[in-house]
Amino acid sequence: MGKSHDIRRQEIVEATLALAAEQGLRNLTTQAIAERVGIAQPTIFRHFASRDAIFAAVIGWVAENLFYVLEQLEHDPAPPDERLRRLLQRQLAFIGKRRGIPRVVFSDRLQVESPALKAAVREIYQHLLGRIARLLEEGRTCGCFRADLQPEQDARYIGALLQGTIMRWSVQDFSFPLEDEAEALWRFLWPALERR
C-alpha cells in the first residue's frame, strides 16, 4: 500500500528543503525532488500542481512550525526578557536544523519572480516582528525593559539582526552552528534593552 497524500507531501517538502540547501533554487528540479524522495517525477504532480506550489508548501510548513514556537512562548509564564531570549534561541535552532530555509527565503525565485511567495514570507516576517514587539511592550510595561523603548521600531532591529545572522550563516555555507549565535545576539541586545 502506498503512502498517504499528506505523508508524501511532507516528504516532498523535506526533500525540497534539503536540495535547496545543497544547490539553491535556480537548479532545483521536480526530477531531483522525485529522485530524493524515491518516486517517479509524475508522482510529484499528483501532490502539487506546479513547482511554485511546492515552494508555497515549503513556506507554509516553515510558517506553521515557526508560529508553533511563538505560540508556545505566548503561554510561557517566564518574564518577557526570558521569553525574548528563548524566542531567539528557538528560531535559530529551528532554522539551524533546516539549511534550506534561508536558501528558499533569500532566493531570487522568491524575491523577484514570485510575488505570491514573497507575500507569504512577508506575512511570516510581520507575524514574528509583531510577537517581538508585543514582548518588548510587555517588558517595558512591567519594568523589565527600558521605559523609552519603541517596541515596533526596536522589533524591526531585532528582526534585522536575526535575518543578518541567518544570511551570514547561509553565505558562509553553514560553517558554524547557527543555534550557537543566539547567546551572542542576546549579549549584544540585552544592554540595549535592560532597564537602568
Side-chain angles (χ1 to χ4, degrees):
M1 184 173 175
K3 295 183 179 179
S4 75
H5 178 70
D6 290 341
I7 290 173
R8 188 63 80 195
R9 282 178 61 92
Q10 182 60 35
E11 288 176 343
I12 292 167
V13 164
E14 289 173 8
T16 302
L17 275 171
L19 287 165
E22 295 167 16
Q23 62 191 43
L25 259 60
R26 185 168 302 264
N27 299 318
L28 198 155
T29 64
T30 54
Q31 180 62 44
I33 296 167
E35 288 172 6
R36 180 63 62 103
V37 175
I39 57 177
Q41 187 204 23
T43 305
I44 294 275
F45 297 106
R46 287 188 205 149
H47 303 283
F48 295 98
S50 66
R51 193 166 156 252
D52 269 2
I54 296 170
F55 296 148
V58 167
I59 291 166
W61 181 85
V62 169
E64 181 182 322
N65 285 278
L66 288 177
F67 292 167
Y68 175 74
V69 169
L70 294 176
E71 286 169 16
Q72 285 181 315
L73 289 169
E74 290 215 20
H75 304 293
D76 190 325
D81 59 328
E82 184 55 34
R83 282 186 282 146
L84 179 59
R85 186 178 190 171
R86 288 180 193 166
L87 183 148
L88 297 174
Q89 291 168 337
R90 291 177 186 177
Q91 295 293 308
L92 293 179
F94 174 77
I95 294 170
K97 292 177 184 156
R98 292 152 188 95
R99 296 175 172 187
I101 292 174
R103 296 278 165 92
V104 170
V105 171
F106 299 128
S107 71
D108 280 350
R109 176 77 193 108
L110 187 138
Q111 297 297 326
V112 177
E113 300 170 18
S114 180
L117 294 175
K118 185 176 183 177
V121 169
R122 188 180 303 124
E123 185 178 321
I124 296 168
Y125 190 61
Q126 291 304 320
H127 187 82
L128 173 64
L129 293 184
R131 184 62 198 127
I132 292 171
R134 286 192 298 278
L135 275 172
L136 293 175
E137 179 60 42
E138 186 181 336
R140 182 175 74 169
T141 301
C142 75
C144 177
F145 295 143
R146 292 170 34 185
D148 63 343
L149 282 182
Q150 298 178 17
E152 289 186 15
Q153 176 181 316
D154 296 336
R156 288 193 300 270
Y157 293 135
I158 293 170
L161 282 171
L162 277 169
Q163 272 188 310
T165 301
I166 294 164
M167 176 62 90
R168 179 171 54 89
W169 176 66
S170 179
V171 167
Q172 293 182 358
D173 292 323
F174 319 112
S175 62
F176 57 90
L178 183 62
E179 58 276 11
D180 290 354
E181 297 297 299
E183 274 308 305
L185 278 177
W186 185 250
R187 280 195 309 272
F188 178 76
L189 280 172
W190 179 239
L193 297 174
E194 70 177 321
R195 181 181 175 192
R196 294 188 176 92

